[in-house]
Amino acid sequence: MAKKAMLEREKKRQQLVEKYATKRAALKEIANDEERPMEERFKARLKLAKLPRNSSATRLHNRCQVSGRPKAYYRKLKMSRIALRDLASEGKIPGMVKSSW
């Protein structure tokens, strides 16, 4: 199980990303528009830099919904390999059986 502080930090980052998403997208659009004057684009970049770092989507890290584990994460199932195996062994995931040969 992951530390509570790490889980809470990730939740806080997720909230910041959602809060600043529209503002960040608008500033990026201005900054990347080659038809606008250079000064206006530069000002947009400065405003973008003043936004909180954790409001960037690249700062998010995928974590297991069951255990909070940050590594060995299956995107489709939103859980780690260990949690997946435990649930499959208990028969809680329909159609999944442990492999043996």
Side-chain angles (χ1 to χ4, degrees):
M1 190 72 185
K3 289 184 180 179
K4 279 280 192 196
M6 297 303 284
L7 297 175
E8 292 303 316
R9 190 179 303 162
E10 202 64 35
K11 285 180 190 174
K12 186 178 176 184
R13 283 187 186 135
Q14 181 65 41
Q15 289 170 350
L16 278 172
V17 167
E18 290 169 3
K19 180 180 177 182
Y20 287 99
T22 54
K23 190 172 190 177
R24 186 172 279 278
L27 287 172
K28 275 190 175 184
E29 188 177 322
I30 292 169
N32 292 333
D33 187 7
E34 303 236 346
E35 294 181 8
R36 292 184 185 260
M38 189 62 127
E39 295 156 1
E40 188 178 343
R41 293 171 61 200
F42 186 70
K43 285 180 184 176
R45 286 274 176 212
L46 288 176
K47 286 181 184 177
L48 198 60
K50 286 188 179 184
L51 293 178
R53 279 189 181 183
N54 284 335
S55 68
S56 174
T58 58
R59 302 276 291 199
L60 292 176
H61 199 281
N62 292 329
R63 284 188 173 271
C64 174
Q65 297 285 317
V66 179
S67 64
R69 182 181 165 88
K71 296 180 180 179
Y73 176 84
Y74 289 108
R75 287 183 182 178
K76 197 170 188 178
L77 302 170
K78 295 186 178 182
M79 64 175 64
S80 68
R81 63 179 174 82
I82 297 169
L84 178 67
R85 183 175 174 161
D86 288 343
L87 291 175
S89 294
E90 293 171 11
K92 293 185 178 177
I93 301 176
M96 189 172 281
V97 288
K98 188 179 158 201
S99 176
S100 61
W101 59 90

